[in-house]
Amino acid sequence: MKKRAAAALCGSAVALASALTAVPPAQAVPGPAPLGAAGPAWKKCGTEEAPTLQCADVQVPLNHADPGGRKITVALARVPHTAGKSLGPLLVNPGGPGGSGVDLAGFVASGLPKSVASRYDVIGFDPRGVGRSRPALNCLPGYFDPVRPDPVPSTSALERTNLERARAFAAACRTQHGDVLPYMDTVSAAKDLEWIRRAVGARKINYLGYSYGTYLGAVYAKLHPDRVRRMVLDSVVDPVGVWYENNLQQDVAFEERHRAFTAWVARHDKVYGLGTDAAGVEAAWYRMRAAVAARPAQDVVGPAELEDLFLPGGYHNGYWPLLARVFSAYAVKGEEAPLVEAYRAVGAVDAAGHNGYSVYTSVMCRDAPWPRDWARWRSDNDAVHRKARFMTWSNAWYNAPCAFWPVKGLKPVDVRNDKLPPVLILQSTGDAATPYAGAVRTHRLLRRSSLVVEEGGGNHGVSLAGNACLDRHLAAYLADGTVPRRTAGEADATCPTLPDPKPAADSTRRFTPSHPWPLPRR
């Protein structure tokens, strides 16, 4: 699932205003030792946004079947509790796989009510292979450099070119990280969480996971149900479709979100001049795609880069005013510069993105079996593309290295669980990255869970994102375990969605996404 690009937007034509803050060099700080162990050596690493932040590393086995063997490092960052009595650690994960979580601790701690956050040690972490953890994976730097081949294999030559790229990436991962690839999977990452729990001296953990982080949490809960105190799953991966089927389902959902975007543009024709009919606006978008396929904008934005640029709009409608403006500038005025600048700010993959993609493929391809016969991929994606052409083939090529992965896929985890305390599930009904059906299925598999739905919403990652109703449920649950219980229907509670954005009156106005992390693929 494609979540590689969304960060903050700003600038006159648009420039990236990243909400992520670099962690400064650490300074030693004393702290209480956890129960029965020395615990991590926490050091000061505060930022302007999170002045009390502390950082540490935990060593975990590369191969959990050989706990005395080679160790790797998982990086942690925490905002310590300030209340007199702590509710223990609240581990937070932004998804991916491949998303860095060290900056998420400060965001969550500042987003929760002080009366709640003060009672937790909010701990973010970079999962194995990610970011500040070591080793950090980077299979093939420059893999996403523009201009890439058109994702839609309209000719045999295009298909061969994209296949060669996918094979080359898989081969590069084998060359660079062949010793690590057999242990890059969700079960191993979940076992790392257990090592973190023991390292910080907690009898139980609390957990907040977004997107792929919901699957990581569910797998940990399957392995250690007695170690879960409270767990929040926001924007839920369908655990039954891991992972090939989930991506095909996601393509259809993103098509609906793209059409919601073109309908919104049509409603604001006075601003953008792209037409008052949604179908007409969609046709204009595909004319733009054909134009950059024939001649990439400033030799930077071709069709693959254009899809990367517009994908964040499927995750969060706060991007729509920006995307509509650069769409209009190109399609109505013939201006290429805004499109290119927006791509560089929103769609381009930086070093962290290359690391994230290397981890993404390593985990996706190892977690579950993938078809090894390319004819199966072609047939399935052709069929989906006929009804969902916005990103089907882009998504297929993003995952295509799994057809050639050097290690075999494992058997997915059956996460059904009747041993957990109540789990809180938060989901918007129109989420494209993790479609609603996955949340309903997870709700049924986790017997005592409670599902709270943002009715009519389409954004991904809905807690601490401005919806006061959802945030009240989150705060109540983290405060004392309170969850709503339904009297009828699938959901235990519903919240109204936030209104769609309005066109920005000032074209230089910044939009900062609600969550301070790039949106990885899943």
Side-chain angles (χ1 to χ4, degrees), residues 295-445:
R295 188 179 68 82
Q298 297 185 356
D299 294 321
V300 173
V301 177
E305 292 74 28
L306 187 75
E307 289 168 356
D308 290 351
L309 168 59
F310 277 79
L311 182 65
Y315 285 88
H316 199 294
N317 60 13
Y319 289 101
W320 290 0
L322 163 71
L323 298 177
R325 185 172 60 78
V326 300
F327 178 11
S328 176
Y330 183 92
V332 177
K333 301 177 183 178
E335 297 176 358
E336 295 184 352
L339 198 68
V340 172
E341 191 175 353
Y343 165 73
R344 286 174 172 155
V346 177
V349 178
D350 59 11
H354 281 100
N355 166 243
Y357 180 65
S358 296
V359 175
Y360 171 88
T361 47
S362 298
V363 175
M364 290 283 113
C365 302
R366 180 61 170 155
D367 255 2
W370 290 73
R372 295 285 178 155
D373 180 2
W374 184 252
R376 164 82 182 278
W377 289 68
R378 184 191 305 113
S379 175
D380 289 345
N381 284 280
D382 274 344
V384 176
H385 179 76
R386 284 192 287 271
K387 58 184 177 181
R389 58 177 176 158
F390 169 56
M391 67 160 281
T392 295
W393 274 106
S394 175
N395 202 15
W397 294 119
Y398 199 84
N399 291 279
C402 293
F404 313 104
W405 205 246
V407 292
K408 292 182 179 180
L410 301 169
K411 182 180 179 181
V413 176
D414 181 352
V415 303
R416 73 182 69 242
N417 206 320
D418 61 2
K419 299 178 181 178
L420 290 172
V423 170
L424 180 65
I425 299 173
L426 305 173
Q427 181 78 28
S428 67
T429 55
D431 187 344
T434 52
Y436 178 67
V440 174
R441 197 188 311 272
T442 301
H443 181 32
R444 293 169 181 166
L445 292 174

Side-chain angles (χ1 to χ4, degrees), residues 123-183:
I123 300 177
F125 58 97
D126 282 355
R128 54 174 55 203
V130 176
R132 291 176 48 230
S133 294
R134 292 293 179 268
L137 275 57
N138 194 346
C139 295
L140 190 58
Y143 185 69
F144 290 104
D145 289 354
V147 174
R148 309 197 308 277
D150 190 330
V152 178
S154 55
T155 67
S156 296
L158 268 174
E159 184 174 26
R160 285 194 300 272
T161 299
N162 279 305
L163 277 172
E164 289 167 4
R165 293 185 75 251
R167 284 194 186 97
F169 187 87
C173 286
R174 180 183 58 213
T175 300
Q176 297 294 328
H177 305 292
D179 58 332
V180 175
L181 294 185
Y183 313 106

Side-chain angles (χ1 to χ4, degrees), residues 20 22 86 108 141 148 193 219 227 318:
L20 291 172
S86 171
V108 171
R148 309 197 308 277
L193 297 187
V219 170
R227 297 300 185 184

